[in-house]
Amino acid sequence: MVVKLERQDEIAFVTINNPPVNALSAAVRSGILECMNAAITDPEVKAIVLTCAGRTFIAGADITEFGKPPKSPGWDELLAAVEDSRKPVVAAIHGNALGGGLELALVCHFRVATNDAKLGLPEVKLGLLPGGGGTQRLPRIVGLEKALEMVTSGRHVPAKEALEIGLIDEIVEEGQLKEGATAFANRALAGSKRPVKVSGSNAKLEATKDNPEIFDNFRKANARKFRGFLAPEYNIRCIEAAVNSATFEEGLAVERKLFMELMIGPQSAAQRYYFFAERQANKIPDVSDDTATRPIKKVGVLGAGTMGGGIAMNFANTGIPVTIVEVKQEVLERGLKVIKSNYDRTAARGGLTRELVDERMGLLTGSLDMNDFKDCDLVIEAVFERMDLKKNIFERLDAICKPSAIMATNTSALNIDEIASVTKRPEDVIGLHFFSPANVMKLLEVIRGEKTATDVIATSMKLAKWIGKVAVLAGVCPGFIGNRMLDQRERQAKKLVLEGAMPWDVDRVLYDFGFPMGPFRMNDLAGLDIGWVKEESRSSTVGEVLCEMGRLGEKTGAGFYDYDESRNAKPSPLTEKIINRFMATSGKMKWTVSDDEVVDRCIYPVINEGAKILQEGKAIRASDIDVVWVNGYGWPVYRGGPMYYADQIGLDKVLAKMKKFQATMGDDFKPAALLEKLVAEGKKFADFKQTQKTLEPA
Ligand code: 3HC
Ligand code: NAI
């Protein structure tokens, strides 16, 4: 039974038990309705407590039911039964009350929650809006501005804040939820608490009627964040309807209509796909969920440069002490100073208290001696990208680290097996590929070497979650999943500018596609001198010429673009001249490249490379590749990811376009064998399953 009814004296308890997160499936809705009706009609019952078993209150509607024919009972029937109850209903919340879970709590007449509870309407992250009256009831309780912020961010609000904004009526002690809710219900029965029907409370809305510009101001302030997404705008419109409708029901009708529009649209389908993709990425066929993991209580980081510093911050942020080793005192001090100023900036914005900055800095110990890694459970190497150097370091780590320690490299492209081969324990070696800035970017590519032990993989995946990263397992190949695919886009982008498109044309098209910035802007930001060696520069590419001129990107005020003091990028006439010169000497005809061609040329080879990665067993499944691109490369989540995008277009169409490009532009566009195979079988990337148990070399 997913919902049960019990009675203690005058109080009925309706308890939901639908692990893991008590999602409101049809069975749960039906169970609640049945138990509510029984409690309402039982003359012995005077008040009702709605609560959940297991680790959380209701975390929302059952997302697996979306996009399928609706099952009864419907939401309206359920919500009305609770809200219209003459007997007061108290929602007793622990864990998360999210989406439909919070909406159900909002039709209860009171809400109490434990200290650790979190409440929110995260539908926007699924490309949706709260479809159970949330957009109409929330502003009636917390006011317009808070409601706008909550529904468009999907933020989980902690219990303390929920109490302050009136979202809950009381905080009860952890472990005392039932007692606390019972005491609250008894007080309500004694008359000290008047039951509140939120749908009838209009005071907060009335107060904002004179301030209609609030909505447009909110839109303007968040335009960048919402760009490309439909759901935030639809959420705003629903709250506007809450204010402007003559009746609650009228506002509700707007919510229902807009909810359905989003639900059947492509953005929400992609975002729902992504929700499950991210969770699926944690599942590794030959590493079972119950694999014992190694305790990570102390971490070592080698190199305090761009990556080492950011990597160290991740662990300090979660209370894990870190030893950072550098070659020279002044480099070490510079590295620690960068970390400190990062924390100071966050503190200045109000994101951290001074005490926390000190606490985190206190967890970092600098050293010039690798022997200080001897008691570390995990050491991450982040020195220059040179195989000879990394091999030398791993030989030394092998001699220094304790027997159970994990030895990881942050290399962005080198062969992990070759690095592991210099140690006597290649099973303890793994790639932990963080993205820059490592303290900010969500993605962590976990690179499995040929001999990496399963418990080292399990530990790395768990650790990633602990430090707030989204981890994806990849096999050893140059550039792993993300950078290997990105190379294809870079290659085409560079070719396009030698055919007639300007860097800002390519960037604009990819920006409009939904990326935060195009490849040239990204290169300018990263620095055009990455991998450039002055002595070897032969003015043979546009990039080389720009570097030779000292135009190293945004940091020097010029690169492909020119930058003003506020770092705004402007198309550069000088870059245009350089490109035109290259074109003139190449003897190629300049032609007008269409926007569609830019998208196809830049994206299809990326998809094709993804297919090769899959066919070589370097990624477990297509959706893992999508998780990499959404978190590491700014792929717009409302397009799911490159592999999902290809599935939506139709793999036959992708293949046909690749063949057409191949005929005129050569083997950059040679279709992957897997792409041909799936098309021949009428299948999608989503249908593809690895047959080998592990990610073995091809
Ligand atoms: N429906 C179906 N399955 C769900 C689910 C949901 N709402 N929420 C979580 N799950 C599943 C996950 O897929 C996962 O399954 P798996 O073990 O097979 O991979 C399992 O529950 C556990 O989830 P997590 O791994 O995410 O567990 P965490 O403890 O890390 O996080 C959570 C818990 C914060 C509740 C997180 O799962 C979450 O954010 N869930 C989604 C919340 C949400 O978006 N709610 C709104 C739904 S839409 C809605 O309510 C519409 C309404 O307005 C009409
Ligand atoms: P960086 O040049 O900023 O930092 C490297 C640091 O390592 C320097 O401070 C240097 O003094 C130190 N170092 C060199 N030899 C050392 C030794 N023997 N012992 C201790 N410290 C030593 O380089 P960055 O960018 O941090 O890159 C580090 C690694 O991370 C490379 O393998 C790179 O490929 C990889 N990486 C870089 C990314 C980036 O965007 N910068 C992204 C992902 C991975």
Side-chain angles (χ1 to χ4, degrees):
M1 276 227 297
V2 288
V3 186
K4 70 174 183 209
L5 176 66
E6 291 160 310
R7 185 168 65 80
Q8 256 176 33
D9 304 324
E10 295 182 315
I11 316 277
F13 292 87
V14 175
T15 308
I16 299 149
N17 187 6
N18 183 29
V21 297
N22 288 315
L24 271 173
S25 62
V28 172
R29 296 197 299 274
S30 157
I32 299 175
L33 198 58
E34 208 172 288
C35 292
M36 282 300 303
N37 285 336
I40 289 166
T41 48
D42 181 348
E44 304 287 321
V45 170
K46 298 285 185 282
I48 301 162
V49 171
L50 181 70
T51 187
C52 287
R55 62 173 156 129
T56 179
F57 191 74
I58 303 160
D62 185 340
I63 307 167
T64 59
E65 286 183 356
F66 289 177
K68 298 180 186 155
K71 289 187 191 160
S72 69
W75 283 82
D76 294 349
E77 191 184 350
L78 172 68
L79 299 177
V82 178
E83 189 165 44
D84 295 341
S85 160
R86 293 261 176 93
K87 299 174 181 175
V89 184
V90 181
I93 298 166
H94 73 294
N96 295 297
L98 301 176
L102 179 57
E103 291 175 297
L104 184 61
L106 291 180
V107 292
C108 296
H109 309 105
F110 303 105
R111 288 158 293 283
V112 300
T114 54
N115 226 332
D116 62 342
K118 293 203 167 85
L119 301 87
L121 294 172
E123 284 86 345
V124 70
K125 293 187 179 157
L126 299 169
L128 290 171
L129 54 88
T135 64
Q136 304 304 299
R137 289 189 181 88
L138 188 68
R140 285 176 157 83
I141 299 185
V142 303
L144 219 54
E145 291 185 36
K146 200 75 191 176
L148 281 170
E149 184 265 312
M150 279 181 67
V151 295
T152 56
S153 69
R155 185 169 68 90
H156 299 181
V157 173
K160 188 166 165 280
E161 183 185 342
L163 184 67
E164 281 160 15
I165 61 178
L167 194 53
I168 57 173
D169 300 287
E170 194 169 280
I171 292 183
V172 296
E173 252 182 70
E174 271 159 57
Q176 300 288 312
L177 184 58
K178 192 169 177 189
E179 294 77 359
T182 306
F184 192 99
N186 281 324
R187 266 179 283 144
L189 290 177
S192 71
K193 300 271 175 196
R194 222 166 50 83
V196 178
K197 196 167 166 178
V198 177
S199 56
S201 323
N202 293 329
K204 288 238 159 96
L205 299 183
E206 294 296 336
T208 53
K209 277 221 161 99
D210 313 334
N211 197 5
E213 67 279 5
I214 199 168
F215 294 102
D216 281 337
N217 291 343
F218 186 76
R219 284 185 176 98
K220 271 188 213 128
N222 292 285
R224 237 177 101 143
K225 204 159 77 195
F226 299 161
R227 182 177 72 93
F229 288 92
L230 278 182
E233 170 59 25
Y234 277 42
N235 271 280
I236 298 171
R237 284 189 206 163
C238 286
I239 297 197
E240 263 177 326
V243 177
N244 298 331
S245 301
T247 61
F248 178 81
E249 282 67 30
E250 205 179 287
L252 208 56
V254 173
E255 180 191 271
R256 200 169 298 137
K257 178 172 169 289
L258 294 184
F259 177 84
M260 281 321 294
E261 262 183 51
L262 288 176
M263 175 66 92
I264 57 172
Q267 289 204 352
S268 176
Q271 288 178 255
R272 278 161 13 225
Y273 157 84
Y274 178 77
F275 175 85
F276 290 111
E278 195 173 297
R279 279 148 185 87
Q280 186 77 0
N282 278 312
K283 299 183 173 59
I284 301 159
D286 66 330
V287 182
S288 65
D289 285 350
D290 55 4
T291 305
T293 54
R294 301 185 189 183
I296 306 291
K297 300 220 168 70
K298 190 170 177 199
V299 170
V301 175
L302 188 65
T306 311
M307 295 307 288
I311 293 171
M313 288 174 77
N314 283 300
F315 295 100
N317 294 350
T318 48
I320 299 177
V322 187
T323 299
I324 310 178
V325 174
E326 254 293 347
V327 270
K328 285 199 200 119
Q329 185 64 28
E330 73 251 32
V331 186
L332 177 64
E333 277 168 20
R334 200 190 324 133
L336 289 169
K337 220 168 112 191
V338 172
I339 298 178
K340 174 78 167 33
S341 62
N342 273 335
Y343 280 138
D344 284 343
R345 253 202 315 277
T346 312
R349 282 202 317 262
L352 267 183
T353 60
R354 291 278 16 133
E355 292 72 37
L356 270 177
V357 173
D358 293 343
E359 195 182 306
R360 290 181 188 183
M361 284 309 293
L363 287 167
L364 304 174
T365 311
S367 161
L368 300 179
D369 185 359
M370 276 177 67
N371 284 308
D372 288 339
F373 287 149
K374 63 181 180 306
D375 57 346
C376 288
D377 303 298
L378 161 71
V379 176
I380 304 173
E381 165 278 309
V383 304
F384 306 131
E385 185 79 336
R386 274 185 13 226
M387 184 53 99
D388 58 334
L389 180 62
K390 305 230 182 215
K391 276 180 157 173
N392 175 290
I393 279 164
F394 271 74
E395 244 168 10
R396 289 165 65 196
L397 285 178
D398 193 17
I400 294 166
C401 292
K402 63 183 184 183
S404 59
I406 296 176
M407 299 181 293
T409 170
N410 181 50
T411 177
S412 30
L414 298 176
N415 187 320
I416 313 278
D417 293 328
E418 194 177 337
I419 296 173
S421 71
V422 300
T423 72
K424 290 185 207 67
R425 36 176 160 162
E427 65 279 8
D428 292 341
V429 176
I430 196 161
L432 293 180
H433 183 210
F434 288 83
F435 286 68
S436 181
N439 53 316
V440 176
M441 294 292 286
K442 294 280 278 182
L443 179 64
L444 181 68
E445 275 185 334
V446 176
I447 321 298
R448 171 184 206 159
E450 204 182 339
K451 297 193 176 140
T452 308
T454 49
D455 70 333
V456 171
I457 297 171
T459 306
S460 302
M461 300 299 286
K462 188 170 143 195
L463 188 68
K465 198 165 182 185
W466 174 251
I467 60 173
K469 302 286 179 205
V470 176
V472 175
L473 191 70
V476 175
C477 58
F480 314 125
I481 296 176
N483 284 345
R484 180 172 160 181
M485 291 165 73
L486 183 71
D487 272 358
Q488 298 298 322
R489 193 184 80 177
E490 293 281 296
R491 203 178 152 74
Q492 290 310 316
K494 283 185 185 133
K495 283 192 165 182
L496 281 162
V497 296
L498 296 177
E499 293 173 21
M502 283 293 138
W504 28 96
D505 298 327
V506 176
D507 281 359
R508 174 185 48 80
V509 173
L510 290 176
Y511 178 82
D512 288 347
F513 183 83
F515 285 101
M517 61 180 78
F520 295 99
R521 191 63 191 82
M522 205 170 104
N523 279 327
D524 268 2
L525 191 65
L528 299 185
D529 54 336
I530 289 185
W532 175 71
V533 184
K534 193 174 178 185
E535 295 71 31
E536 295 168 12
S537 193
R538 299 277 172 272
S539 313
S540 59
T541 62
V542 177
E544 274 190 351
V545 174
L546 290 171
C547 284
E548 287 160 16
M549 297 171 80
R551 298 177 65 101
L552 304 182
E554 197 177 305
K555 62 185 172 187
T556 55
F560 283 104
Y561 292 84
D562 291 332
Y563 294 87
D564 62 20
E565 297 81 45
S566 323
R567 302 199 152 195
N568 293 312
K570 280 201 219 79
S572 159
L574 195 64
T575 304
E576 189 161 349
K577 226 191 232 166
I578 298 169
I579 291 169
N580 287 335
R581 218 170 52 216
F582 267 91
M583 286 205 58
T585 48
S586 76
K588 279 192 193 156
M589 282 275 293
K590 188 171 173 164
W591 58 292
T592 312
V593 184
S594 72
D595 288 2
D596 283 350
E597 167 125 12
V598 171
V599 171
D600 294 351
R601 289 266 302 271
C602 288
I603 304 282
Y604 283 25
V606 166
I607 295 165
N608 196 52
E609 198 64 30
K612 287 185 191 165
I613 287 169
L614 271 183
Q615 86 197 17
E616 290 168 23
K618 303 301 180 191
I620 299 174
R621 47 184 91 79
S623 59
D624 285 9
I625 297 177
D626 289 335
V627 174
V628 165
W629 270 73
V630 167
N631 287 289
Y633 299 85
W635 182 282
V637 64
Y638 57 79
R639 292 188 198 270
M643 309 314 273
Y644 177 86
Y645 177 71
D647 276 349
Q648 302 315 301
I649 295 171
L651 294 192
D652 52 343
K653 295 202 178 67
V654 176
L655 178 64
K657 197 50 117 357
M658 288 293 288
K659 283 186 169 161
K660 192 172 151 223
F661 284 152
Q662 189 189 16
T664 51
M665 286 177 277
D667 280 353
D668 274 5
F669 296 93
K670 185 168 189 263
L674 180 67
L675 181 59
E676 304 246 26
K677 183 168 179 284
L678 290 174
V679 171
E681 292 170 356
K683 289 187 177 156
K684 297 179 166 201
F685 284 130
D687 301 320
F688 175 77
K689 292 212 166 50
Q690 293 291 353
T691 46
Q692 65 265 62
K693 273 174 79 185
T694 56
L695 300 185
E696 287 156 0

